[in-house]
Amino acid sequence: MSNITFTMIKPDAVADGHIGAILGKIAEGGFKIKALKLTQLTVADAKKFYEVHAERPFYGELVEFMSSGPIVAAVLEKDNAVEDFRTLIGATNPAEAAEGTIRKMFARSIGENAVHGSDSDENALIEAQFHFSGREIF
Ligand code: UDP
């Protein structure tokens, strides 16, 4: 499965009512939806998903936030999906994100930053399989 990326609309953006607007930006950006669901991470799920950040000072807060409410998980397809999606979402810190990016438009803060985007093809596949069974990816 190449040319795919994995995204989550994080609990802040779901709570703030931005699911529709963010899915609209994703469609306008030329991404095709291959899998999609509203779900909620358990604390254990969030710990595992963000395992690479376990030693970072913000890990506890991140796990608590990501398991605090519903999220939208999705697998997206486009040529150069990982890089193009990271361009569409903007910098981790919305204060530094470019105008028109999803994080600039919808994020609350560096931690509660509206969306996740995979950082490599390898992680996109791992993350997609973490959230979806084979039957749920089209
Ligand atoms: N994060 C945070 N504080 C920081 C840096 C990151 O709370 O100082 C959170 C934020 O939600 C971010 C996630 O940890 O999206 C993963 O961090 P990463 O550096 O991988 O940023 P991303 O790839 O999401 O832009």
Side-chain angles (χ1 to χ4, degrees):
M1 203 160 44
S2 62
N3 295 328
I4 64 120
T5 191
F6 171 78
T7 186
M8 291 181 284
I9 302 176
K10 296 186 180 184
D12 60 317
V14 172
D16 292 345
H18 297 315
I19 294 174
I22 291 173
L23 291 178
K25 291 280 293 178
I26 288 170
E28 278 169 30
F31 293 86
K32 191 173 161 192
I33 293 174
K34 306 290 284 182
L36 183 71
K37 68 179 160 193
L38 186 68
T39 183
Q40 182 164 356
L41 299 177
T42 64
V43 168
D45 290 333
K47 278 186 179 165
K48 184 147 183 16
F49 189 87
Y50 285 108
E51 212 162 41
V52 294
H53 294 306
E55 303 308 319
R56 309 276 286 276
F58 57 81
Y59 181 64
E61 212 178 337
L62 178 61
V63 167
E64 190 184 336
F65 165 61
M66 286 303 299
S67 57
S68 68
I71 61 159
V72 173
V75 179
L76 307 176
E77 184 181 62
K78 183 184 183 297
D79 288 345
N80 203 36
V82 165
E83 192 185 342
D84 286 0
F85 192 69
R86 289 184 69 91
T87 301
L88 181 68
I89 69 179
T92 308
N93 184 352
E96 291 163 12
E99 285 301 327
T101 59
I102 291 175
R103 282 171 168 165
K104 182 70 172 188
M105 294 173 74
F106 303 114
R108 291 177 180 171
S109 67
I110 189 169
E112 301 189 0
N113 61 0
V115 278
H116 168 81
S118 306
D119 64 5
S120 68
D121 289 346
E122 189 192 359
N123 282 336
L125 189 55
I126 292 168
E127 292 172 359
Q129 290 173 341
F130 181 88
H131 286 268
F132 294 101
S133 71
R135 279 193 293 128
E136 295 176 307
I137 303 175
F138 294 90

